């Protein structure tokens, strides 16, 4: 049996679409008419959308996209650019090492994989667009380590976390100390913390102003010699430097 649709949600989304298309040109009475809503209903729904940051009121009672919507759009555009510029570099990296390489961003406390290039047996369960917990993954640790302190503490306040393997760090205090080490050394290791058979190294990817916009990891079977992971880390850092140069070039090439 199909789940019944929420009429209130449908009305709100319809009005939201009208607001975005209008871009602050018309008063609410006109927007309500376009959305097929009574003015009182449109007024109530715009108040809700405004509280959520999806829209904001400008002068003369006009509405435009709000900060939450704009931030989401910027993140989406940024993620697409980072993935597009990273793919050829990371595809070459995966081929050379015969391992799996991921590019990911942090979204609502979860790692979202923007890119996957695989030429080995590790991490075959993943796919682009998939999400994974941040506290136990190499990419997640890097991104959590580079959050501002308030956001990181809010994340840690949700612990203790689920132990996926005996190696998973689950206590918030231990994870806090671990993330401080990750930030200081500039890279992270998932040492069989998601799967006992999998180990990965990860490093931050920075845009031209130094802000960490994503992270890259190389996943390998657990149990390889230490020098194999050391080689993977060195190669990973070289690849990250190449991608960062491309991001800087793209930033400078944009028109003012």
């Amino acid at each position: 049996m199909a789940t019944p649709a929420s009429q209130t949600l449908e009305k709100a989304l319809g009005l939201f679409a009208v607001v975005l298309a209008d871009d602050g040109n018309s008063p609410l009475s006109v927007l309500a008419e376009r959305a097929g809503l009574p003015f009182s209903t449109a007024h109530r729904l715009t108040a809700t959308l405004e509280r959520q940051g999806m829209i904001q009121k400008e002068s003369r009672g006009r509405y435009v996209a709000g900060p939450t919507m704009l931030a989401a759009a910027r993140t989406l555009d940024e993620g697409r650019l980072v993935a597009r510029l990273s793919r050829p570099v990371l595809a070459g990296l995966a081929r050379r090492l015969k391992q799996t390489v991921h590019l990911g961003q942090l979204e609502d406390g979860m790692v979202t994989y923007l890119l996957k290039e695989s030429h080995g047996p590790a991490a075959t369960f993943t796919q682009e667009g998939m999400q994974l917990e941040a506290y136990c993954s190499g990419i997640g640790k890097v991104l959590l380590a580079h959050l501002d302190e308030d956001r990181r503490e809010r994340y840690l306040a949700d612990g203790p976390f689920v132990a996926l393997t005996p190696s998973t760090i689950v206590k918030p205090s231990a994870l806090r100390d671990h993330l401080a080490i990750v930030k200081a050394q500039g890279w992270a290791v998932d040492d069989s913390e998601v799967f006992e058979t999998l180990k990965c190294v990860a490093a931050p990817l920075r845009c031209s102003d130094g802000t960490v916009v994503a992270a890259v990891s190389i996943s390998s079977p657990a149990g390889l010699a230490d020098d194999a992971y050391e080689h993977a880390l060195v190669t990973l850092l070289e690849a990250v430097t190449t991608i960062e140069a491309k991001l800087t070039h793209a930033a400078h090439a944009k028109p003012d």
Side-chain angles (χ1 to χ4, degrees):
M1 180 177 177
T3 302
S6 167
Q7 292 186 354
T8 300
L9 179 59
E10 287 183 346
K11 291 176 181 177
L13 291 175
L15 180 60
F16 180 54
V18 169
V19 170
L20 293 184
D22 182 76
D23 196 27
N25 289 306
S26 306
L28 181 57
S29 58
V30 173
L31 300 179
E33 184 177 354
R34 289 177 185 168
L37 299 173
F39 179 82
S40 59
T41 300
H43 186 272
R44 173 172 53 82
L45 293 176
T46 52
T48 300
L49 292 169
E50 190 173 8
R51 283 196 301 272
Q52 296 300 318
M54 301 304 294
I55 63 174
Q56 63 184 13
K57 185 186 291 185
E58 292 200 321
S59 61
R60 300 174 291 113
R62 269 59 169 174
Y63 290 87
V64 296
T68 301
M69 179 63 191
L70 293 174
R74 282 194 297 269
T75 299
L76 181 60
D77 288 344
E78 183 178 74
R80 287 174 175 169
L81 174 64
V82 171
R84 179 170 60 82
L85 295 178
S86 299
R87 189 176 294 278
V89 178
L90 298 185
L93 178 62
R95 283 194 301 270
R96 289 197 305 276
L97 296 179
K98 294 182 172 55
Q99 301 295 352
T100 297
V101 179
H102 290 104
L103 170 75
Q105 285 186 322
L106 198 64
E107 294 182 350
D108 298 324
M110 300 283 287
V111 172
T112 298
Y113 289 124
L114 303 178
L115 183 156
K116 175 186 177 182
E117 293 290 342
S118 185
H119 287 270
T124 54
F125 69 96
T126 57
Q127 57 184 321
E128 293 180 10
M130 177 180 173
Q131 289 193 312
L132 187 68
E133 293 288 352
Y135 66 91
C136 50
S137 62
I139 286 179
K141 291 179 183 182
V142 167
L143 297 174
L144 290 172
H146 287 87
L147 288 177
D148 64 67
E149 185 176 356
D150 287 344
R151 289 182 64 193
R152 188 166 55 251
E153 287 301 315
R154 287 198 297 271
Y155 179 88
L156 292 171
D158 288 336
F161 302 98
V162 176
L164 302 181
T165 76
S167 301
T168 310
I169 301 172
V170 296
K171 292 184 178 179
S173 58
L175 183 57
R176 182 184 294 109
D177 293 343
H178 183 72
L179 294 176
I181 294 172
V182 168
K183 186 173 184 179
Q185 68 189 10
W187 46 272
V189 175
D190 157 17
D191 194 359
S192 303
E193 295 169 57
V194 178
F195 289 95
E196 292 186 66
T197 57
L198 186 69
K199 182 173 180 176
C200 76
V201 293
L205 185 61
R206 302 176 187 273
C207 62
S208 57
D209 66 0
T211 303
V212 174
V213 293
V216 182
S217 71
I218 298 174
S219 301
S220 308
L224 298 180
D226 289 344
D227 59 357
Y229 300 117
E230 292 171 4
H231 174 67
L233 177 60
V234 170
T235 310
L236 173 64
L237 294 175
E238 291 172 350
V240 164
T241 299
T242 300
I243 297 169
E244 289 176 341
K246 295 176 70 172
L247 290 173
T248 298
H249 177 75
H252 291 163
K254 289 181 180 179
D256 294 334

